[in-house]
Amino acid sequence: MFIPKPGRNSYCGPKDFRPIILTSFLLKTLERLVDRFLRDETLVSKPLHPNQHAYQAGKSVETALHQLVVQVEKVLDQQELALGVFLDIEGAFNNTSYDSMCVALASLGVERTIVRWVKATLEGRRATAMLGNLSRSVAVSRGCPQGGVLSPLLWCLVVDELLARLSEGGVYAQGYADDICVLAVGKFPNTVSGLIQWALGTVEAWCVRLGLSA
């Protein structure tokens, strides 16, 4: 089902609508079980990056904004310089490859049976759209279904690698779903600009490797 995105001047193109998947209750139940297992078992010992704020209990857009404001206030108190960049991963849910999601699951030590089930569920999809008496069905080659129970967690697992890599490089990185914030802090403008350039290059290389764009 295609839901119109709010705030659009017209609804003439495919990007003016949000495709929401309609799946069976049986599949949703299985997805819920896998999602609960991953959150209550796997992510307890190997948690997501602490700066991820979407699709997690006790976190929201308010906690993301609060954490970012705290970082900026620290910079002001220490009389340092800060340069921030806000990025949106274009079509994150629609364009993420199946392999990247499975690699993210495997890197957490998830049982191979679960990884194979997730991949089989994603690969075996066909999307059908209907308008009046007309219908069109196509095979889906990538992406996790928007509106799927397991989809938000799968994306969080994929983007977690990027947040970890940015943080290890000396910049502050924060994520909320497909939105990324990068904050570089330092005493000198050349240092700050250099860190941001490195961060943007890292994001670009990561997106290219996964077939995404920011």
Side-chain angles (χ1 to χ4, degrees):
M1 178 174 290
F2 298 92
I3 307 298
K5 294 182 179 179
R8 301 282 173 154
N9 295 326
S10 65
Y11 294 92
C12 302
K15 291 187 177 182
D16 297 325
F17 297 85
R18 189 179 306 279
I20 302 298
I21 191 171
L22 301 178
T23 56
S24 67
F25 286 107
L26 178 59
L27 178 57
K28 289 180 180 178
T29 301
L30 292 172
E31 284 189 283
R32 180 67 65 186
L33 291 173
V34 173
D35 183 83
R36 179 60 60 86
F37 173 78
L38 293 176
R39 293 180 186 272
D40 294 349
E41 299 292 335
T42 304
L43 294 180
V44 171
S45 57
K46 295 183 179 180
L48 292 170
H49 194 283
N51 293 347
Q52 283 217 53
H53 290 266
Y55 314 120
Q56 298 180 70
K59 291 188 175 184
S60 64
V61 65
E62 284 81 8
T63 62
L65 291 172
H66 174 72
Q67 189 177 36
L68 180 59
V69 169
V70 169
Q71 294 296 321
V72 174
E73 289 177 342
K74 287 181 180 179
V75 174
L76 296 176
D77 291 339
Q78 296 173 3
Q79 297 184 343
E80 293 183 319
L81 300 174
L83 182 60
V85 176
F86 297 87
L87 305 169
D88 176 80
I89 307 298
E90 185 178 1
F93 286 90
N94 294 334
N95 296 317
T96 305
S97 67
Y98 302 147
D99 287 340
S100 64
M101 289 181 267
C102 293
V103 168
L105 287 168
S107 66
L108 293 175
V110 177
E111 296 180 11
R112 180 171 174 78
T113 301
I114 295 179
V115 177
R116 290 174 58 195
W117 180 84
V118 170
K119 187 174 184 179
T121 303
L122 294 170
E123 287 182 335
R125 291 184 296 135
R126 291 189 67 84
T128 301
M130 293 180 292
L131 178 63
N133 296 326
L134 301 176
S135 66
R136 179 71 180 271
S137 180
V138 297
V140 182
S141 59
R142 60 193 301 117
C144 46
Q146 293 195 47
V149 176
L150 197 56
S151 298
L153 181 57
L154 290 177
W155 167 250
C156 286
L157 295 178
V158 172
V159 77
D160 205 66
E161 175 195 8
L162 176 61
L163 295 178
R165 187 173 301 176
L166 292 171
S167 298
E168 292 169 358
V171 298
Y172 173 80
Q174 180 178 294
Y176 188 89
D178 55 357
D179 295 317
I180 305 294
C181 172
V182 180
L183 189 69
V185 178
K187 293 287 187 181
F188 307 102
N190 290 340
T191 301
V192 174
S193 62
L195 285 172
I196 281 293
Q197 287 296 331
W198 171 84
L200 292 176
T202 300
V203 172
E204 182 181 16
W206 183 82
C207 287
V208 170
R209 179 166 61 84
L210 270 64
L212 301 171
S213 60

